[in-house]
Amino acid sequence: MQHCVNIIVTAGLSDKKLRSKLLGLTHCKQIKKIYLIRRTPLTNSDNKNIVNLNPPNSIVNSFLLYEIWRLYKMSTTLFAHSIHMLYAIQLIPHSFHTYICSIVFNKPIVLSVIGDDVHIHLKNSFIRPVLKKVIRKASFITALGPRSTKQITSTGFAKNRIIKILNYI
């Protein structure tokens, strides 16, 4: 009997890019449900494992209200379902919510570093100390290449916990 897990994924991205990032997860037989928390539902996804959790239209365009809603929705989903892992695609701002929830609910997190996110924000002296804590809390980090890997390891994160993935888009 295989162990099935439920995960929360928080991400932005276009639907096409997000479907690409979720492709492996949606085909993994060990994953029972993916609770996708984002501004808009993932369209053209006939995968029954994905549960779209989206805010009311009245707060979609308000940055502050949306971020408060997202943290609330992650917390209530953790309470209501047997969630085993949190997965943030892109560091800013998605990793902050996963970091807070991972501490409060004692759940492992996986971070996906994409684009120039890690290169831009880790150079910022104001945000670097906070991001270092977030990065070090991760069980694993997915990265696209050696440049991202170098930036991540500069925070003290172990290289053997970085998984290099291919970009299909």
Side-chain angles (χ1 to χ4, degrees):
M1 185 166 122
Q2 62 186 359
H3 182 68
C4 290
V5 298
N6 296 315
I7 65 173
I8 289 177
V9 174
T10 181
L13 303 176
S14 69
D15 285 354
K16 182 178 179 182
K17 287 181 181 179
L18 184 55
R19 276 192 299 277
S20 169
K21 301 293 181 201
L22 295 176
L23 190 61
L25 295 176
T26 59
H27 287 86
C28 181
K29 292 184 184 342
Q30 289 80 17
I31 296 179
K32 184 177 177 184
K33 290 282 183 201
I34 299 169
Y35 294 91
L36 179 59
I37 299 175
R38 68 191 292 241
R39 286 185 193 271
T40 57
L42 181 62
T43 59
N44 297 328
S45 175
D46 40 346
N47 190 300
K48 308 268 187 281
N49 293 10
I50 296 177
V51 177
N52 281 293
L53 301 173
N54 314 105
N57 288 335
S58 59
I59 67 167
V60 167
N61 294 322
S62 169
F63 177 79
L64 181 60
L65 289 177
Y66 171 70
E67 296 306 334
I68 292 168
W69 175 87
R70 183 173 20 185
L71 188 56
Y72 166 78
K73 183 52 79 175
M74 287 180 77
S75 300
T76 58
T77 304
L78 280 155
F79 272 123
H81 304 282
S82 178
I83 303 296
H84 300 88
M85 183 187 79
L86 305 171
Y87 180 36
I89 301 175
Q90 207 161 8
L91 283 179
I92 305 292
H94 312 292
S95 65
F96 294 131
H97 303 86
T98 56
Y99 176 74
I100 292 166
C101 287
S102 74
I103 291 171
V104 173
F105 294 96
N106 195 29
K107 299 292 179 185
I109 60 175
V110 173
L111 302 176
S112 183
V113 175
I114 59 174
D116 286 333
D117 195 27
V118 70
H119 308 292
I120 293 168
H121 298 299
L122 279 176
K123 290 178 182 172
N124 181 318
S125 60
F126 174 73
I127 203 157
R128 182 177 170 84
V130 176
L131 273 181
K132 282 174 71 172
K133 286 184 179 200
V134 171
I135 288 170
R136 289 180 183 162
K137 176 77 170 121
S139 298
F140 292 96
I141 295 178
T142 65
L144 296 175
R147 190 169 154 236
S148 296
T149 299
K150 184 177 179 181
Q151 283 283 30
I152 295 164
T153 56
S154 77
T155 67
F157 193 80
K159 191 173 183 175
N160 66 343
R161 291 173 38 209
I162 300 172
I163 301 165
K164 291 182 187 167
I165 58 171
L166 300 174
N167 195 2
Y168 291 102
I169 296 213

